[in-house]
Amino acid sequence: MNDAAPWTITTAIPYVNARPHLGFALEIVLTDALARFQRLRGRDVWFLTGTDENSLKNVQVAAAEGIPTQALVDRNAAAFYQLRQALNLSFDDFIRTSVDARHLAGVTRLWRACADRGDIYKRSYGGLYCVGCETFYAEDELWQGLCPEHLTPPEWVEEENYFFRLSRYQDQLLALIESGQLRIEPARRQNEVLSFIRQGLQDFSISRSVSRARGWGVPVPDDPTQVMYVWFDALGNYITALDYATEGERYRRRWQDCPDRIHVIGKGIIRFHAVYWPAMLLSAGVPLPTTIFVHGYVNVEGQKISKSLGNAIDPVALAEQYGIDSLRYYLLREIRATDDGDFTLTRFVQAHNSDLADHLGNLLNRVVHMVQRYEHGRIPAPDPARHTAAEARLLAAAQSLPASVTAAMEQFRPHDALEAIWGLAAAANRYVDEMEPWTLAKRRKQGDGEAAGILAAVLYNLAETLRLIAYLCQPFLPDAAAALAAQLNVSLSGNWEQMTTWGALQAGAPIHPGSVLFPKLTK
């Protein structure tokens, strides 16, 4: 792998008919951790997110509130952008589909490219339409007559629209996915997509009448009676944000010539991203994404997040009350990225207190206290001639950790990466209990030279373990990693090979004890 090669990753862009909830927080924190990890590896990362603002749902909500649609989307888009600070995100770009000039120009070009290929035509159509999904459903796709996603009855809609010739790309899509050229993770999601394609692809509507859209949306080129179907418009953001309209340098580097083009999406929109979007790109002669990673949903107390149930949780309020890194940790470890997960406040507090406070925070407190007490606040230099079996076990765990974290993150499994990191923290706590530094300090005071050498090695090894944990925690818990490093008085800058090599910690440096890393929480 060329570590300096460009690496592009995106979230789906969410509807802005409401403020962000915990489900999107999962997606954007997951994407942020993946982006931060690749930066740590030395990759030239571009992380894109934004807001999908041209939905009919926005028009309906704005009308219900008695405000202009633009006012609604401006207000809620600002709330999504503010997640940057609220969740400590590192995205490089944020696109808004209703106001960004590069988006309007880009999707217009994309439409024309598909039309020039002969893949857009106009016809009358009638079907069952879910406004929540912004899509038509066949009767056999419904669940007891309801939208399978929102569990609401679809409405019958008849009008003349433009259609995209999806059926033309069935065999090509099958070949691309089966060969792995278009990677869909996890494997069961790939199987779902392949099954859907093998059933036979039908052309799909890509426009709406201006009257039904109430004048809201991106105009269809050369037809003032139609606006683009929100999914055609929204999917285009992944390249319009990169200046696809002008095929500028950013588009060439971040998409056209980029070896890794990754979408992170929820399971409910897999058809649009893994079938419709690749077909549109094939039609337009644009490179496809290389990977589509599909995550599950966050349920609350066992129930799907729903405005009607009133169980949507504000991630900003949660982070403000309990801590950003505590929320990031829960989303990244307690919820397996490949599956549905559940949020309960009780489990959230338990995870913080057990994993963050008792395991990592307590380890830091123990080590800092012992370095202060036994070594006058400076990292001791170990005697290379003195080794113990316990030290060998700790070093083996530490030296295998970077490869374990890398393997997990390459498979989009931050929960496994964090489990490995916390495994090393547990090994370090066991090492303390096994070696009993307090006993070694007592023996040293009594003139035992061997005990003095072993004590120095124990404290160095523990501090070095914490340095490695701090470095590898940066993608997941950036604030905590920085605070941990500050107490050890170590830098986290440096290339991957240097920083993950055991023994990088400089002996003799003074530590800088600080406040408790993770104070205990109560509900």
Side-chain angles (χ1 to χ4, degrees):
M1 180 184 73
N2 178 8
D3 285 350
W7 197 85
T8 296
I9 191 166
T10 75
T11 69
I13 53 173
Y15 289 140
V16 290
N17 59 308
R19 292 177 58 84
H21 61 57
L22 200 60
F24 183 66
L26 168 69
E27 178 166 306
I28 201 164
V29 167
L30 167 62
T31 309
D32 183 69
L34 294 167
R36 286 178 182 269
F37 178 76
Q38 292 297 335
R39 292 191 189 105
L40 207 61
R41 292 300 310 272
R43 296 294 295 271
D44 179 13
V45 171
W46 192 259
F47 170 14
L48 170 68
T49 189
T51 44
D52 180 357
E53 303 179 7
N54 296 320
S55 167
L56 182 57
K57 289 201 294 187
N58 298 330
V59 178
Q60 294 174 334
V61 172
E65 289 192 26
I67 61 175
T69 305
Q70 192 67 60
L72 175 86
V73 299
D74 287 347
R75 182 190 72 198
N76 288 342
F80 278 91
Y81 185 85
Q82 288 161 6
L83 292 178
R84 181 182 185 89
Q85 180 175 356
L87 300 179
N88 196 359
L89 304 172
S90 63
F91 54 78
D92 298 287
D93 199 358
F94 187 97
I95 189 165
R96 293 188 53 197
T97 59
S98 75
V99 296
D100 202 314
R102 60 189 166 153
H103 182 68
L104 176 61
V107 292
T108 299
R109 182 178 185 221
L110 182 64
W111 181 286
R112 292 190 188 280
C114 295
D116 289 346
R117 185 71 178 271
D119 286 333
I120 294 178
Y121 63 95
K122 197 174 188 180
R123 70 175 173 88
S124 296
Y125 181 76
L128 294 165
Y129 189 74
C130 173
V131 174
C133 293
E134 294 280 7
T135 194
F136 286 98
Y137 282 104
E139 287 193 21
D140 60 4
E141 293 180 302
L142 301 176
W143 182 81
Q144 297 184 357
L146 303 177
C147 164
E149 186 70 16
H150 294 92
L151 301 181
T152 55
E155 59 180 294
W156 182 264
V157 172
E158 291 186 54
E159 64 180 13
E160 189 175 45
N161 295 150
Y162 287 95
F163 276 70
F164 177 81
R165 296 187 193 278
L166 182 64
S167 55
R168 176 179 286 181
Y169 294 96
Q170 178 169 326
D171 292 343
Q172 200 170 352
L173 288 172
L174 279 174
L176 287 165
I177 295 169
E178 289 174 339
S179 69
Q181 289 178 263
L182 175 54
R183 174 189 176 196
I184 301 171
E185 293 287 347
R188 70 178 183 278
R189 301 300 180 195
Q190 174 178 297
N191 292 337
E192 288 175 17
V193 173
L194 289 172
S195 176
F196 177 77
I197 295 173
R198 288 171 183 144
Q199 291 172 20
L201 295 181
Q202 305 297 315
D203 297 351
F204 69 99
S205 170
I206 58 171
S207 75
R208 301 290 179 260
S209 67
V210 167
S211 59
R212 190 156 72 87
R214 304 183 198 177
W216 185 253
V218 177
V220 166
D222 308 316
D223 190 340
T225 70
Q226 298 273 310
V227 296
M228 292 184 192
Y229 166 48
V230 66
W231 276 105
F232 189 98
D233 147 40
L235 289 165
N237 94 90
Y238 302 124
I239 57 175
T240 65
L242 304 175
D243 299 324
Y244 163 71
T246 61
E247 290 198 22
E249 172 57 28
R250 179 175 293 174
Y251 169 74
R252 291 193 296 273
R253 178 164 180 79
R254 302 295 179 187
W255 193 267
Q256 182 173 285
D257 300 329
C258 184
D260 294 286
R261 303 178 292 270
I262 299 162
H263 295 323
V264 178
I265 64 163
K267 65 178 185 178
I269 54 175
I270 187 171
R271 178 193 309 181
F272 303 100
H273 285 79
V275 181
Y276 295 3
W277 174 232
M280 290 159 54
L281 293 175
L282 289 171
S283 175
V286 174
L288 273 57
T290 57
T291 303
I292 299 171
F293 175 70
V294 186
H295 64 79
Y297 287 155
V298 181
N299 298 319
V300 175
E301 303 283 355
Q303 293 183 308
K304 183 180 175 181
I305 294 174
S306 166
K307 286 191 295 184
S308 61
L309 292 174
N311 65 346
I313 292 179
D314 181 354
V316 176
L318 199 62
E320 287 175 348
Q321 182 171 359
Y322 296 105
I324 295 172
D325 278 350
S326 296
L327 178 56
R328 288 176 65 104
Y329 180 83
Y330 190 94
L331 293 173
L332 293 170
R333 186 175 184 197
E334 295 300 311
I335 297 177
R336 298 175 64 86
T338 51
D339 303 319
D340 288 351
D342 196 48
F343 177 88
T344 71
L345 190 56
T346 297
R347 180 64 195 130
F348 176 85
V349 171
Q350 288 173 346
H352 171 98
N353 289 341
S354 174
D355 297 356
L356 299 178
D358 289 344
H359 289 171
L360 182 57
N362 185 54
L363 176 63
L364 176 64
N365 292 340
R366 297 174 86 179
V367 173
V368 166
H369 173 75
M370 289 187 293
V371 171
Q372 276 187 294
R373 182 175 180 183
Y374 303 141
E375 300 294 340
H376 307 290
R378 291 184 177 273
I379 303 296
D383 182 347
R386 299 183 186 278
H387 297 285
T388 65
E391 178 184 53
R393 287 192 292 271
L394 179 66
L395 265 61
Q399 290 169 344
S400 66
L401 181 61
S404 297
V405 171
T406 299
M409 295 301 279
E410 292 293 343
Q411 292 297 317
F412 306 97
R413 301 174 70 86
H415 49 280
D416 285 343
L418 283 166
E419 183 175 349
I421 293 170
W422 255 253
L424 179 58
N429 277 308
R430 288 194 299 272
Y431 180 64
V432 173
D433 295 338
E434 188 172 358
M435 297 306 297
E436 298 185 342
W438 48 90
T439 301
L440 293 170
K442 197 175 293 184
R443 287 170 51 194
R444 182 184 65 178
K445 190 173 183 180
Q446 296 169 350
D448 187 334
E450 182 181 27
I454 295 173
L455 177 62
V458 168
L459 295 180
Y460 179 88
N461 291 339
L462 288 169
E464 175 66 338
T465 297
L466 281 167
R467 181 201 65 80
L468 182 61
I469 288 173
Y471 182 74
L472 292 174
C473 269
Q474 289 179 96
F476 315 101
L477 312 177
D479 286 341
L484 198 162
Q487 292 203 35
L488 294 174
N489 191 23
V490 297
S491 171
L492 296 182
S493 62
N495 68 48
W496 174 268
E497 287 72 19
Q498 292 172 332
M499 298 301 290
T500 58
T501 298
W502 182 266
L505 180 64
Q506 182 180 356
I511 60 171
H512 293 158
S515 57
V516 174
L517 189 60
F518 291 107
K520 287 290 187 78
L521 296 178
T522 57
K523 286 182 63 175

